[in-house]
Amino acid sequence: MYDSIASVSFAPILVALMFVMAGFLALATGHVFAQDLSPSAIVELTTASGRTFRGNLSPKSDLQTVYLTTRRGSIELCRPISWNAIRHLTINELPASFEKLATLITKVHDEQGSHATPGDVITIGPSTAPRENQVAVQQREAGPMTAPISSVSSWATFKSWDSDPSVDGLEVTFTPEDAQGLPTAAKGFLEAELYAFQNASFSSVPQGQGARFAKIGSWRIPLDQTFPRYDARVARLPYQAISPATDGSVSPLGTLVIKLVVPGQGTFSASLEDVRLRPYSAIRDANVLRGNPRFYGDENPRYVPYTTP
C-alpha cells in the first residue's frame, strides 16, 4: 500500500523536475548558440605550451595564423598564434569551437577589412611570425597618450657588424617601461659609459696591484638613431680609442652604465655588470699558453694578451 501511495504522490513531482531541468538545458544551449560573434569580441587562446593569450582579433588573422591584438594607451601588441598550437579557446568567456573562431575571423574581415599602418607608428619585429611566442609590436611615437616611463631594462654583449670576425663594439638592447613593466614609447637620448680594468705599472697603481678601474668609452645616441627589435630598441656602441677587442691590457669583462634621457620625464639609469667585451675561447686560450698567437692571419693582428693583476 505504501508503495502505491508513494508512486502516486511523487510521480508528478519527478515529471515536473525533469521538465524544469530540460528547460534549463535548453536555455543554456541557446545561450551558447547565441554567443556574441561581433568583431569586438574578446578571444582567449591557450596554446600547447600552456601559455594563454587574450585580446581582439586582428584583420590579419586567417585560417593558418590567428593574430590577437591587445591595446594599452598608444601601444598595440599584435601576437601571432598558429592554429596548430591552439588547444583551448573561448569567445567572451564562453567555450567556443574552431568553427566559431573561423566565423568570427570572417566577420572581422567583412566589417573591418585590412587597414594601413599610420605614418606615426613604428613597427617592431618581423612582418611574419609563424611561431606562437613571437610578438610583433606597434608603438606610436611619444605623445600625450603615451604611458610615462618608470624604468629601463637592458642587456649588452660584444658584437661584430662588418665583414671581418673582429669585435667592433657593444650592442645594447633596452626597453623603456611604464609603472607596470610594459614597454612604452620614448623620445630623447641614450647615454652610455663603459668601465673596465686596465693594466698599469705597479708603482703607478700600487693600491690596485698594477691595474686601474677606468672609463674606456662614452657615447650619446639619439633614440631615433637606434633600431627596433621586437618590443625593444637596439643601440650600437663602437669601441673608441681604447678597444677591448685589440687591447689586451683591458680586462675581458666590464661594467656598462646606461642613461635614458627623456625630456619632460627625467633620466632613467641601469647598470650592466660583467658585460663580456670580447669572445671567450678555451681553445684559443690553450693555444696562447703554448706560445702560439691567439688570432690567425688577418683576424686581429694587434691583439695583446691580457695579464691578470
Side-chain angles (χ1 to χ4, degrees):
M1 181 179 68
Y2 291 106
D3 293 340
S4 62
I5 292 175
S7 61
V8 171
S9 301
F10 293 103
I13 297 176
L14 293 175
V15 172
L17 287 175
M18 292 177 63
F19 275 108
V20 171
M21 293 177 63
F24 277 120
L25 290 174
L27 288 175
T29 305
H31 182 63
V32 171
F33 284 136
Q35 194 171 42
D36 181 17
L37 293 181
S38 65
S40 60
I42 301 299
V43 178
E44 186 173 288
L45 304 177
T46 302
T47 63
S49 63
R51 300 182 64 188
T52 299
F53 302 95
R54 180 184 176 89
N56 301 108
L57 281 180
S58 168
K60 296 190 298 183
S61 300
D62 52 32
L63 298 183
Q64 294 182 348
T65 305
V66 178
Y67 289 84
L68 286 187
T69 300
T70 304
R71 297 177 182 85
R72 188 181 186 280
S74 61
I75 301 177
E76 181 178 285
L77 297 178
C78 187
R79 302 177 182 271
I81 304 168
S82 172
W83 277 74
N84 296 331
I86 301 174
R87 294 297 179 267
H88 179 71
L89 67 96
T90 63
I91 299 177
N92 285 341
E93 310 296 340
L94 295 175
S97 62
F98 284 91
E99 289 77 10
K100 286 186 178 294
L101 183 60
T103 302
L104 182 57
I105 290 176
T106 303
K107 287 192 174 184
V108 170
H109 287 173
D110 293 341
E111 297 194 22
Q112 294 187 14
S114 58
H115 59 278
T117 302
D120 60 346
V121 172
I122 300 175
T123 301
I124 303 176
S127 57
T128 58
R131 297 197 302 271
E132 64 175 84
N133 59 344
Q134 287 184 329
V135 179
V137 181
Q138 291 182 332
Q139 177 175 335
R140 295 183 181 274
E141 294 288 352
M145 297 301 294
T146 301
I149 299 174
S150 178
S151 61
V152 58
S153 63
S154 59
W155 69 280
T157 185
F158 61 87
K159 190 75 172 181
S160 173
W161 48 74
D162 55 18
S163 58
D164 62 67
S166 299
V167 173
D168 297 306
L170 293 178
E171 187 174 85
V172 183
T173 304
F174 63 96
T175 305
E177 298 177 345
D178 62 12
Q180 297 183 359
L182 295 175
T184 185
K187 281 186 176 181
F189 296 87
L190 179 71
E191 297 180 348
E193 294 180 343
L194 178 61
Y195 297 85
F197 282 104
Q198 187 177 23
N199 286 342
S201 63
F202 187 88
S203 59
S204 62
V205 196
Q207 71 280 5
Q209 300 181 354
R212 60 167 59 93
F213 193 66
K215 180 169 69 174
I216 63 173
S218 61
W219 302 264
R220 180 180 173 89
I221 302 174
L223 293 184
D224 58 6
Q225 294 183 11
T226 62
F227 56 92
R229 180 177 293 166
Y230 299 102
D231 58 349
R233 299 196 70 84
V234 177
R236 286 176 173 173
L237 312 179
Y239 287 148
Q240 298 174 340
I242 302 176
S243 173
T246 59
D247 191 346
S249 67
V250 179
S251 59
L253 300 176
T255 297
L256 183 68
V257 179
I258 69 168
K259 296 179 180 179
L260 189 62
V261 182
V262 182
Q265 295 192 45
T267 301
F268 307 89
S269 303
S271 295
L272 288 74
E273 308 294 341
D274 297 330
V275 177
R276 179 156 285 280
L277 308 180
R278 56 178 176 263
Y280 165 77
S281 173
I283 191 169
R284 290 182 188 266
D285 288 344
N287 200 34
V288 170
L289 292 176
R290 289 173 171 78
N292 300 315
R294 185 176 187 84
F295 294 94
Y296 301 96
D298 297 330
E299 278 189 323
N300 201 337
R302 297 176 295 168
Y303 178 79
V304 180
Y306 172 75
T307 303
T308 303

